[in-house]
Each structure stands twice: as C-alpha cells, then as structure tokens.
Amino acid sequence: MRRVDRLRTGRNAGILQSGTSPRILTTSASTARDPVSAGRRRHLSSAIGIARVLCILGIVYVHAWTGLPGGDLARLNDTPQGILRWALIDLLGRGAVPLLSVISGWLVAASLARRGWRSFLPAKARTIILPMILWNAFAIVLVSGAARLGWIQAPMPTTLWWTIDELLCLASPNDINVQMSFLRDLFVCMLLAPLLMRLPNWALGIAALVALAWSVSGVAFVLLLRPAILLFFIAGILARRRDLAAWVAMQPMAVTGVAYALLAALQIWLETAGIARGVDNPLLLSSIDLAMRCVTALFFWSIAWRLAGSRFTGALLGLEPFAFLMFSAHLIMIWLGGPLIGRLTGPLGAPLYPVFLLVQPLLVLAATLLLGRLLAATSPALATVLSGGRLKPAAEVDRPADLRPHTR
C-alpha cells in the first residue's frame, strides 16, 4: 500500500486511530504493569490497527444502501435478501462498536500516562468532537442539500433545534450521519476516564454492572445515547489491567467460534420464528443482543490477532490511517452514491442487489482512499483534522520507531 508522500500516520487521536504507547499508569495501586515484550507490543499494535479496519468495514454493512423506505424494507425482512442483509448487520456489523469501545478503554491508560488529564481532554476534543462536528456539518450541507434539490430522499432541517442537535448530537442520534453518536458517547467516556482510571477493579466492576443494567433496560438518559459504549469502554480498561488482550485472542478459535455459532443460531431462530411465537420480552431480547455483540467482538478480535501475524499485515495496516475517515464519511457517500449505483442494480429485492450489498464496504473503502489522498495533496492540515489526527504532516510526527505499527 503506497502511503501519501506528504503525510505520515499519527498516534494521538484516540479511537479509530492506531495504538498509543503501551505504557500504562503505574501511579495507582489498582493499575497493573504491562508485562508484554517489545515483540508482543508490536503484534498487539498491529492487531489493534487491523481490528479497527475490520470494524469500520463491518459498520458499512449496518448502514448499507437499500433504496427502500422503512415500511417497504420491513415487508422484505423475511425474504432471502432481507435475511442476508439482517445477517450481515446483526451477525457481523454490530460487533464493531463494542470492539472499538474496548480498544478505546485499553488505550486510554497510555494516553493519560503520557499527557496527564489537563492536556488529555483538550486533545480528545480536537480529535473526536471537532471532526464529529465538521462531518455532521458536511452531512447537513451535502445530503440535505441534495434532498432539497430533489436528487435523493433524505432528512432535511425542519427546525433550528433539529439542526443544532444534528450538528452536536446533544440529545438524540443523528438522522443523517447516524454513526456519529458513537463519537459523542465516546467523548463522554473520555471525560470520565481520569476518574475511572483511579477506581479499583471492584469499583470499575460495579460501574460496568450499572452500565450493563442501563443498556438492557432501555431507559433513555441524555448523558449517554448508547450506554453499552461505557460498558465496553470499562471492559477495555479492566482488560488492560489484567493483560487480557493477548490471552483472549490466543484462545482456540473453536472456543470463540462455538460461542459465536450458538448465539448466532439463537439470533436466527428469534428472527425467523421465536419472536413470532411469543418470545418477545424486551429485556430478554436486549440481553441476547448485547451478548451477541460481545461474542462477535471477541470473534473478530481473535481474527485480527491472527491476521497481525500473517502476510496480510502490511496491506491491512496500510488502510488503518484511513479508518477514521471512512467511519466519518461513509454515510455521506452512501446517501449520495447509493442511489446512483442503485439505478444499475435496483433496490433491495432486485436480482442484482445482493452483489451491490456485499461490495458496499469495498466501494466505500475505495472512495475513502481517494478522498484521503486528495485531502492530503491539497490540504494536509484539513486532512489531519478530518481524519481525527490519523493523517498527519510528516513534520508533526515524533514518536519512537518501535511504537509504530509493525509491518511485514
């Protein structure tokens, strides 16, 4: 993978960016020391980068273009194409946010140790909140603008409050860039991180249980739009304290695979027959859904760990600097580009639609690489901001070589 000549990859942007220094806080008695070797650190850094790429590709399936409004979409849920779409979303794509949240929790200790909270929080605002606001603004202008011109069907500003909420994700998830509420909730977790890092393990466990109960209860509160993000963020902190990342990843694939297959079978049964037969308790369904997301995240972490030691490592890590850009821009691309390609393939239900559905992550990836390189060539500073700090001018990169992603 050829890199942009004027840019190098940075490490200081938090989630969707590559791993930070593997050091962790040692000033607290509750924080474990990192026992892994330099070689293991490089492997771990590579696995994190690869996991990030896999996660963002999976998220594209969750938001894939269908060409149908909600009512028509629901009527096709039980068709072969509807089941294929559901499987890609629920059995693959929805494990991405938990794994990204765990990775963020894992990395936050090193980031705090290196910066201290006084510089940590402004840095996260620059690399999470600022690009979130800018991409939301782009979405309103481009997508709502296209809808206003009659080119596509998409949400348009209705009130001043709608526009403010769509821009800042204050009280509800976005209508256009629906994925951006993740960055909003992630930043809340970052605000809590200095406190969470000082808690002993038992107190973190209680906080995780509270987040778990909040998540499955369905109770809405403005602090977090998706409280499960806090649950997995705390899990990442605890995993680092216990040095569990490598241990979990190196378990036999059969173990994780069997757990994944059993829960997937349960989900398929619920989708095709169980709910219709009265198995529809909201608390039960929420719990099963959360368990499925957790197992899917573990499954793909195991895959990322194994890919990190394969001949595909270099190619996958070459994509990693563009992961944040793809996360932020993919729905704008889908809103605008989906209808154009859909004229050739047809919407969900058309004979050619499954081909379009399956390749949408690759099409979005290709568009993201083109966009990233165009930004790099024309405005490196803007590329840095919009990529959450991942695409950085070479002069700004200053980190030891052994902390860079390991490539083969």
Side-chain angles (χ1 to χ4, degrees), residues 42-387:
R42 288 193 296 270
H43 191 101
L44 177 61
S45 177
S46 295
I48 287 174
I50 291 170
R52 189 172 293 111
V53 172
L54 296 179
C55 286
I56 306 308
L57 289 172
I59 286 175
V60 176
Y61 278 131
V62 178
H63 305 135
W65 182 85
T66 64
L68 296 177
D72 294 338
L73 195 60
R75 282 191 289 272
L76 293 178
N77 281 345
D78 295 331
T79 65
Q81 289 192 21
I83 293 173
L84 171 63
R85 175 177 172 270
W86 170 84
L88 292 172
I89 292 173
D90 278 48
L91 304 184
L92 294 178
R94 294 202 189 280
V97 166
L99 184 51
L100 292 172
S101 302
V102 170
I103 290 172
S104 293
W106 174 278
L107 296 176
V108 74
S111 188
L112 274 169
R114 189 175 66 251
R115 293 189 181 95
W117 70 270
R118 292 182 184 277
S119 59
F120 168 82
L121 295 179
K124 295 307 174 186
R126 288 193 304 271
T127 56
I128 297 177
I129 293 298
L130 177 58
M132 181 198 78
I133 294 173
L134 290 176
W135 280 111
N136 286 342
F138 293 151
I140 294 172
V141 172
L142 296 175
V143 176
S144 295
R148 183 75 66 183
L149 294 171
W151 296 347
I152 62 173
Q153 292 183 347
M156 291 183 287
T158 53
T159 64
L160 177 60
W161 169 248
W162 183 94
T163 305
I164 294 173
D165 195 31
E166 190 75 7
L167 195 65
L168 303 177
C169 303
L170 293 177
S172 59
N174 300 61
D175 289 334
I176 302 174
N177 253 6
V178 299
Q179 81 281 14
M180 285 307 199
S181 60
F182 169 67
L183 295 183
R184 180 258 200 209
D185 283 352
L186 177 66
F187 185 70
V188 173
C189 292
M190 294 298 176
L191 292 176
L192 297 174
L195 171 62
L196 294 174
M197 291 303 302
R198 293 179 178 274
L199 295 178
N201 289 343
W202 65 266
L204 274 179
I206 292 175
L209 288 175
V210 171
L212 172 62
W214 183 7
S215 179
V216 300
S217 70
V219 174
F221 182 61
V222 72
L223 178 64
L224 289 169
L225 300 179
R226 289 190 286 180
I229 292 173
L230 177 60
L231 168 64
F232 290 109
F233 186 82
I234 293 173
I237 295 174
L238 290 171
R240 180 145 198 165
R241 289 184 178 183
R242 296 299 184 183
D243 189 33
L244 294 178
W247 180 84
V248 169
M250 289 189 296
Q251 296 303 303
M253 284 294 293
V255 175
T256 308
V258 166
Y260 176 81
L262 289 175
L263 275 172
L266 177 58
Q267 286 276 66
I268 292 171
W269 178 79
L270 286 170
E271 180 70 14
T272 58
I275 295 176
R277 294 181 181 180
V279 184
D280 57 357
N281 181 275
L283 183 60
L284 174 64
L285 295 178
S286 296
S287 300
I288 294 173
D289 178 70
L290 190 62
M292 185 69 216
R293 291 172 186 250
C294 180
V295 172
T296 305
L298 293 175
F299 183 65
F300 280 96
W301 172 244
S302 298
I303 293 175
W305 183 269
R306 285 157 176 81
L307 287 173
S310 74
R311 65 179 182 273
F312 303 109
T313 304
L316 289 169
L317 289 179
L319 301 175
E320 190 273 338
F322 299 89
F324 188 102
L325 204 64
M326 181 162 60
F327 175 86
S328 301
H330 75 272
L331 259 171
I332 298 177
M333 296 175 181
I334 289 171
W335 277 110
L336 299 178
L340 297 176
I341 301 175
R343 293 178 182 176
L344 302 175
T345 64
L348 181 71
L352 291 179
Y353 177 78
V355 177
F356 182 30
L357 173 62
L358 291 171
V359 302
Q360 281 191 50
L362 298 180
L363 295 175
V364 169
L365 174 61
T368 300
L369 294 175
L370 180 62
L371 174 63
R373 287 167 177 162
L374 179 63
L375 286 170
T378 57
S379 179
L382 183 61
T384 299
V385 173
L386 294 180
S387 67

